[in-house]
Amino acid sequence: MSDVQTDMERLLKALDQQHQAGCKTNDIEVLRTLSQEIRDSNLECHIGIRGDEIVSVRGRQTRQVGLAIDLGTTKIAGYLVDLTDAKIIATNGITNPQTSYGGDVIARLGAAMGDAGDAFRLRAMAVEAVNKLANQLCSDVDMSPKDIIEAVLVGNTAMHHLFIGLTVSQLARSPFLSTVSEALDIKARDLGVNIAPGAYVHFLPNIAGFVGGDHVAALLAIEHTVTDMPIIAVDIGTNTEISLLSQDGITTVSCASGPAFEGAHMRDGMQADSGAIERVKIRNGSIRCQTVDATSPIGICGSGILDAVSEFYIAGVIGEDGKVNNNHPSVREGKKYLEIVLVDKEERDGMRDIVITQNDIRELQLAKAAVRAGIQSLLDTSGCHEGDIKQVIIAGAFGSYIDVGSAVTIGMFPPLPLDRFRQVGNAAGTGAVMALSSMKERRKIQKLMSRTRYLELAGESSFTKSFIQASYLGQYRLVNGVREEFY
Amino acid sequence: MSDVQTDMERLLKALDQQHQAGCKTNDIEVLRTLSQEIRDSNLECHIGIRGDEIVSVRGRQTRQVGLAIDLGTTKIAGYLVDLTDAKIIATNGITNPQTSYGGDVIARLGAAMGDAGDAFRLRAMAVEAVNKLANQLCSDVDMSPKDIIEAVLVGNTAMHHLFIGLTVSQLARSPFLSTVSEALDIKARDLGVNIAPGAYVHFLPNIAGFVGGDHVAALLAIEHTVTDMPIIAVDIGTNTEISLLSQDGITTVSCASGPAFEGAHMRDGMQADSGAIERVKIRNGSIRCQTVDATSPIGICGSGILDAVSEFYIAGVIGEDGKVNNNHPSVREGKKYLEIVLVDKEERDGMRDIVITQNDIRELQLAKAAVRAGIQSLLDTSGCHEGDIKQVIIAGAFGSYIDVGSAVTIGMFPPLPLDRFRQVGNAAGTGAVMALSSMKERRKIQKLMSRTRYLELAGESSFTKSFIQASYLGQYRLVNGVREEFY
């Protein structure tokens, strides 16, 4: 009777003794569980604190973990992180179920714009996938999603808007406006994400309508390793984001490189799954193909096409303008286009040949031209020269597969020594994990954003010119605006 | 294409120009509606701001209003307030539907403790009633509940815990611990309250397990009008809260005055509805009764019993110890107890008499003794003397009905000149409206709380002594701890 402190007062006093003064919570779910958890644990419980907010009170002994999600258009990658030492303790990836609405973001934005029910279903699909991933990761280490006291989610702006449930009609139409670009902290339960009762999902800021928090996360991870500037950071996909990091700040462009790198819109194109030709070399006139998982070839993925075009270009089978030379023995007349045969049907038990068509080469030319012209625009705007670039950092799944030498040969990247290129894998995921584990990293992101400028290529007159010139194969340099061979 | 600001940036810039710099929002529902509302209104919309948080974006022209709720055990009072001038524009009251679980809080706490389903239903009942009240108030002034951008809710600690959905088992058992006593700001949608998308419900702080935010609100309203201290503020109900406000701060006690004041547990008792005898006077030996709405008498309510006991005490029909004097013509032997007949069955078309029994008088004695002993404990603790009290402020519905002279006569209040008593009606509601309209008032509450001390009467040895002495009718003063007649 003489001790009439409220449960909250008792809790705050205990935190005070643990040098956690000034904590508080207004979270209805934390408040609802508080008195019971305290009593169930016989006054010994584990408190999740975020800044000065109590986000979880748990009776049973538990590690406190966080969840980082890279919500890609095609794939969702999840990382479970022990927040006491920032170590990744489980990781997994699943296909984004929204792909049933179309492989690219435009199809999904269109569906969400046209019908509120579709917008709801797209959101529910992604949320359910994240919950599934969280469950899988937690069960891998014998924990419960309720132990996740913080999450970070990165994704392109379309994924971000669809996941939160923001209106997308203004995002899908020129001038492609986001509702919001600042970092957001949203209660997980408001999103339908089932983790600790009071936990938040932190969304990294977006740079523009087509440059999302995933690129920001990649920049965070990349900046961490940079010693010498300027550098180019490029994340290749259906949409390619490219940033120039220099002493003057960061300039970012976005260019529609199309689906060629994903193996789509190609006659024998496929994703980088088992049986996809991922490497092509010509040695002594004979074509050697390497497939994913070293199984029998069934098609060709983006990195394979890149290699093939580079090798056939060097061999003179494909000209600088991308035209296939009909005189070569591997070339034949196809139904619509000239074709280069990579794998003969003789080797495939009677199934048809695997070929690259003239049209496939055109698709690749457009894709690689977008990347190169984007880089060129960044250089033009900043007054940098190609040779000044200390590093080209290639992020993302596709970027990790490619042969950089081939990419340089066909002119997708500037003609720099190969040791200036670095393939870093999923930098967005790495950055998300960094932002998850450390408020200091989040403050760094704020600073990074204040130094970052978005350059809209559609408004740049020089871009179209660069693009046309970059669509040629081979290396070149511009002399007074005119293309001049480099090799 | 040259203007690629996000919708949020555009909004914040506009607010900046309206001298509302530094606003922000992380509210998922505000974010979800933002882009559409801005476009629907052709870039002219109305923004609800709370501190620095944007809680509503509305396209159509609208007044911004707030909702104050006094969630009583028996009645729920609602006030719709224009936030631009803090004026009440609509008010209404409905019965608390939780009464189906029992008239007093103990019954409801018991139900909620015993069964999670009952706890849920009790919560849902109160939430639904608040939504209903909000709808009624808004339709009275041709507005929508979505125009309500802030709400304040006050109630006793049990109502507060049940409404939020906090665990009540620790509140219902000695030492009656609250989960939390601090003021809370909880998103209305988390509570199920349907107002503006990002609006909060602000809960005033509680003082103790049995002294809730309603008493705090009453203190706020009362302090506003106080010029001279010390004063006593008393809110009479099934549970009576009493505070002593002096230069040294505020001391508050809570005493179980029981249901007598509500007319319950009395043979012919009833609530203060139509036909309830609310005033009793004896003039020239004859009994005159006044009923609510001046209709035929059907029972007697709390204020009527108070009057009757006072009048019969003065007339010598009831002794100082509460015993009924059998020699009086209005007194007769009842089935179990002596009875005083107020209304003869002759006057009631053959329906039975309306009487006050010896037992009814005992119930009233206990109720009024609790109030008086509570006041005495406050005086004892603070070293104040009765005569020092500059004002006794009587708040609450029941307190507004009573004849203060009668209350003093029977010794419920100290023997002070009647002009020192002031009946202020629903001070809790007034305080809630003040807290709704002004952040300054909320800061005042913080200060008020820091000056307020709860005195647990169960731990005060002198309380039992005071209580026994206060159960006698008539006025007295204590001389060396011994009762001495005053009148």
Side-chain angles (χ1 to χ4, degrees):
Chain A
M1 287 305 293
S2 62
D3 181 359
V4 293
Q5 290 178 94
T6 66
D7 289 337
M8 182 61 85
E9 282 164 349
R10 215 174 294 275
L11 173 61
L12 295 182
K13 201 164 285 179
L15 286 175
D16 216 358
Q17 286 164 1
Q18 304 281 327
H19 311 291
Q20 293 279 0
C23 288
K24 61 182 175 352
T25 191
N26 263 339
D27 187 274
I28 192 167
E29 292 301 335
V30 172
L31 292 171
R32 280 174 178 169
T33 52
L34 182 67
S35 292
Q36 202 56 50
E37 291 281 352
I38 285 178
R39 281 173 182 72
D40 284 353
S41 66
N42 204 15
L43 301 183
E44 292 211 6
C45 48
H46 295 79
I47 313 298
I49 299 169
R50 178 192 207 267
D52 62 358
E53 182 182 345
I54 298 163
V55 294
S56 110
V57 177
R58 301 214 68 191
R60 73 174 185 85
Q61 180 75 38
T62 171
R63 272 201 286 188
Q64 294 190 331
V65 295
L67 176 71
I69 295 283
D70 176 15
L71 180 59
T73 310
T74 309
K75 211 164 183 182
I76 307 178
Y79 307 84
L80 198 66
V81 177
D82 188 324
L83 293 176
T84 54
D85 59 9
K87 290 269 186 345
I88 296 171
I89 54 174
T91 177
N92 206 343
I94 57 176
T95 300
N96 186 336
Q98 292 178 334
T99 45
S100 64
Y101 272 84
D104 57 86
V105 297
I106 301 299
R108 298 183 211 171
L109 292 180
M113 273 171 72
D115 186 299
D118 282 326
F120 179 85
R121 276 183 289 277
L122 278 159
R123 174 152 67 86
M125 278 173 166
V127 169
E128 201 189 322
V130 166
N131 282 329
K132 197 173 138 192
L133 199 46
N135 273 318
Q136 281 176 2
L137 292 170
C138 286
S139 80
D140 283 354
V141 291
D142 199 22
M143 299 187 73
S144 152
K146 295 280 164 219
D147 296 321
I148 298 172
I149 59 169
E150 175 83 359
V152 163
L153 193 142
V154 302
N156 64 52
T157 310
M159 291 300 106
H160 167 275
H161 275 44
L162 287 174
F163 193 85
I164 300 176
L166 304 179
T167 315
V168 293
S169 50
Q170 81 290 346
L171 183 65
R173 291 196 199 104
S174 176
F176 313 108
L177 300 182
S178 307
T179 295
V180 59
S181 62
E182 288 81 14
L184 295 175
D185 293 293
I186 296 179
K187 285 280 174 187
R189 65 168 174 273
D190 281 342
L191 295 157
V193 174
N194 301 323
I195 53 177
Y200 287 85
V201 178
H202 178 79
F203 292 85
L204 263 55
N206 299 319
I207 295 174
F210 282 108
V211 187
D214 50 355
H215 190 61
V216 173
L219 288 175
L220 176 73
I222 287 166
E223 266 212 326
H224 207 70
T225 64
V226 163
T227 48
D228 213 4
M229 295 207 275
I231 67 162
I232 292 280
V234 53
D235 196 338
I236 307 167
T238 309
N239 215 68
T240 296
E241 296 93 31
I242 313 170
S243 289
L244 175 74
L245 292 79
S246 75
Q247 302 295 351
D248 300 331
I250 301 171
T251 311
T252 299
V253 297
S254 164
C255 40
S257 36
F261 294 138
E262 317 270 357
H265 293 203
M266 301 269 172
R267 210 200 77 171
D268 291 324
M270 66 178 287
Q271 288 201 7
D273 296 327
S274 276
I277 296 169
E278 56 173 347
R279 287 274 175 281
V280 177
K281 289 288 165 209
I282 303 179
R283 291 290 174 269
N284 304 322
S286 82
I287 302 164
R288 295 182 202 169
C289 295
Q290 176 190 313
T291 59
V292 176
D293 297 336
T295 58
S296 297
I298 54 176
I300 184 164
C301 67
S303 62
I305 292 163
L306 199 84
D307 265 12
V309 172
S310 166
E311 291 288 288
F312 287 111
Y313 169 67
I314 291 168
V317 182
I318 303 174
E320 188 179 73
D321 57 2
K323 269 199 187 148
V324 175
N325 176 354
N326 206 354
N327 296 334
H328 194 271
S330 289
V331 176
R332 68 176 191 204
E333 196 82 42
K335 273 188 182 160
K336 274 176 83 176
Y337 308 106
L338 286 178
E339 297 172 348
I340 304 172
V341 180
L342 284 187
V343 182
D344 196 275
K345 63 180 171 205
E346 303 295 316
E347 299 170 43
R348 299 193 69 220
D349 293 336
M351 287 163 74
R352 71 170 200 194
D353 314 298
I354 298 173
V355 304
I356 296 173
T357 71
Q358 178 67 69
N359 189 57
D360 295 348
I361 295 163
R362 294 282 180 235
E363 289 278 345
L364 184 74
Q365 281 177 280
L366 295 179
K368 76 103 187 171
V371 175
R372 182 62 184 277
I375 294 172
Q376 192 60 48
S377 291
L378 285 171
L379 294 172
D380 291 350
T381 309
S382 65
C384 271
H385 295 283
E386 280 174 6
D388 300 337
I389 298 169
K390 299 292 188 301
Q391 271 197 327
V392 176
I393 295 176
I394 307 165
F398 172 72
S400 305
Y401 276 111
I402 62 169
D403 183 298
V404 174
S406 297
V408 172
T409 301
I410 63 166
M412 179 161 126
F413 293 130
L416 295 168
L418 287 186
D419 62 5
R420 292 208 203 162
F421 291 86
R422 196 151 58 88
Q423 290 162 289
V424 295
N426 188 0
T430 307
V433 169
M434 289 166 69
L436 172 64
S437 321
S438 159
M439 287 290 173
K440 201 175 129 203
E441 297 297 332
R442 295 192 195 174
R443 286 191 293 274
K444 267 196 206 166
I445 291 173
Q446 291 301 328
K447 284 190 212 154
L448 188 153
M449 289 299 288
S450 68
R451 283 183 287 116
T452 301
R453 186 173 77 95
Y454 175 66
L455 178 66
E456 175 59 62
L457 291 180
E460 291 289 301
S461 64
S462 67
F463 179 73
T464 320
K465 212 182 228 174
S466 293
F467 184 85
I468 293 167
Q469 290 175 326
S471 66
Y472 285 85
L473 299 179
Q475 281 296 353
Y476 62 93
R477 51 163 71 107
L478 293 178
V479 177
N480 299 327
V482 176
R483 183 186 166 95
E484 199 169 82
E485 290 314 305
F486 186 81
Y487 288 131
Chain B
M1 286 306 292
S2 63
D3 181 0
V4 293
Q5 289 179 96
T6 66
D7 288 337
M8 181 60 84
E9 282 164 349
R10 215 175 293 274
L11 174 61
L12 296 182
K13 203 165 283 179
L15 286 175
D16 216 358
Q17 285 163 2
Q18 304 282 327
H19 311 291
Q20 292 280 0
C23 288
K24 60 182 179 348
T25 192
N26 263 339
D27 188 275
I28 192 166
E29 293 301 335
V30 171
L31 292 170
R32 280 173 178 169
T33 53
L34 182 67
S35 291
Q36 202 57 50
E37 291 280 352
I38 285 177
R39 281 172 181 71
D40 285 352
S41 66
N42 204 14
L43 300 183
E44 292 212 4
C45 48
H46 295 79
I47 313 298
I49 299 169
R50 178 191 206 270
D52 62 358
E53 182 181 347
I54 297 164
V55 294
S56 109
V57 177
R58 300 214 67 191
R60 73 173 186 85
Q61 179 76 37
T62 170
R63 275 200 286 188
Q64 294 190 331
V65 295
L67 176 70
I69 295 283
D70 177 15
L71 180 59
T73 310
T74 309
K75 212 163 182 183
I76 307 177
Y79 307 84
L80 198 66
V81 177
D82 188 326
L83 293 177
T84 54
D85 59 7
K87 290 269 188 343
I88 296 171
I89 55 175
T91 177
N92 206 344
I94 58 176
T95 299
N96 186 337
Q98 292 178 334
T99 45
S100 65
Y101 273 84
D104 57 86
V105 296
I106 301 300
R108 297 183 212 172
L109 292 180
M113 273 171 72
D115 186 299
D118 282 325
F120 179 85
R121 276 184 289 277
L122 279 159
R123 174 153 67 86
M125 279 175 165
V127 169
E128 201 188 322
V130 166
N131 282 330
K132 198 174 140 192
L133 199 47
N135 274 317
Q136 282 176 2
L137 292 169
C138 286
S139 78
D140 284 354
V141 291
D142 199 24
M143 300 187 73
S144 151
K146 295 281 165 216
D147 297 321
I148 298 173
I149 59 169
E150 175 83 359
V152 163
L153 192 143
V154 302
N156 64 52
T157 309
M159 291 300 107
H160 166 275
H161 275 44
L162 288 173
F163 192 85
I164 300 176
L166 304 179
T167 315
V168 293
S169 49
Q170 81 290 345
L171 183 64
R173 291 197 200 105
S174 175
F176 313 108
L177 300 181
S178 308
T179 294
V180 59
S181 61
E182 288 81 15
L184 295 175
D185 293 293
I186 295 179
K187 287 280 173 188
R189 65 168 174 273
D190 281 342
L191 296 158
V193 173
N194 301 322
I195 53 178
Y200 287 86
V201 178
H202 178 79
F203 292 85
L204 263 55
N206 298 319
I207 295 175
F210 282 107
V211 186
D214 50 354
H215 190 62
V216 174
L219 288 175
L220 177 73
I222 287 166
E223 265 211 327
H224 207 73
T225 64
V226 163
T227 49
D228 212 5
M229 296 208 274
I231 67 163
I232 292 280
V234 53
D235 195 338
I236 307 166
T238 309
N239 215 68
T240 295
E241 295 93 32
I242 314 170
S243 289
L244 175 75
L245 292 77
S246 75
Q247 301 297 351
D248 300 331
I250 301 172
T251 311
T252 299
V253 297
S254 164
C255 39
S257 35
F261 295 138
E262 317 272 356
H265 293 201
M266 300 269 173
R267 211 201 76 172
D268 291 324
M270 66 178 289
Q271 286 200 11
D273 296 327
S274 277
I277 296 169
E278 56 173 349
R279 287 275 174 278
V280 177
K281 290 288 166 210
I282 302 178
R283 291 289 174 269
N284 304 322
S286 81
I287 302 164
R288 295 183 201 168
C289 295
Q290 174 190 316
T291 60
V292 176
D293 296 336
T295 57
S296 298
I298 54 175
I300 183 163
C301 69
S303 61
I305 293 162
L306 199 84
D307 265 12
V309 172
S310 167
E311 291 289 290
F312 287 113
Y313 168 68
I314 291 169
V317 181
I318 302 173
E320 187 179 74
D321 56 2
K323 268 199 186 149
V324 175
N325 176 353
N326 206 354
N327 296 334
H328 193 271
S330 291
V331 176
R332 69 178 191 200
E333 197 81 41
K335 274 189 183 161
K336 275 176 82 177
Y337 307 106
L338 287 178
E339 297 171 348
I340 303 171
V341 180
L342 285 186
V343 182
D344 196 275
K345 63 181 171 204
E346 302 297 315
E347 299 170 43
R348 298 194 69 219
D349 294 335
M351 288 162 74
R352 70 171 200 194
D353 313 300
I354 297 174
V355 306
I356 295 174
T357 71
Q358 178 68 67
N359 189 57
D360 295 347
I361 296 163
R362 294 281 178 237
E363 290 278 346
L364 185 74
Q365 281 177 279
L366 294 179
K368 76 103 186 173
V371 175
R372 183 63 184 277
I375 294 173
Q376 193 61 49
S377 291
L378 285 172
L379 293 172
D380 292 348
T381 308
S382 65
C384 271
H385 294 283
E386 281 175 4
D388 300 336
I389 298 171
K390 299 294 188 299
Q391 271 197 327
V392 176
I393 295 178
I394 307 165
F398 172 72
S400 306
Y401 275 112
I402 62 169
D403 183 296
V404 174
S406 296
V408 173
T409 300
I410 64 166
M412 181 161 123
F413 292 131
L416 295 169
L418 288 187
D419 63 4
R420 292 207 202 163
F421 291 87
R422 196 151 58 87
Q423 290 162 289
V424 295
N426 188 0
T430 307
V433 169
M434 290 166 68
L436 172 63
S437 321
S438 159
M439 288 289 173
K440 202 175 129 203
E441 297 297 333
R442 294 191 196 174
R443 286 191 293 273
K444 267 196 204 164
I445 291 172
Q446 292 300 328
K447 283 190 214 155
L448 188 154
M449 290 298 288
S450 69
R451 283 183 287 116
T452 300
R453 186 173 77 96
Y454 175 66
L455 179 66
E456 175 58 62
L457 291 180
E460 291 288 302
S461 65
S462 67
F463 179 74
T464 319
K465 213 183 228 174
S466 294
F467 184 85
I468 292 167
Q469 289 174 327
S471 67
Y472 285 85
L473 299 179
Q475 280 296 352
Y476 61 92
R477 52 161 72 106
L478 293 178
V479 177
N480 298 326
V482 176
R483 182 185 167 94
E484 198 168 83
E485 289 316 304
F486 186 79
Y487 288 132

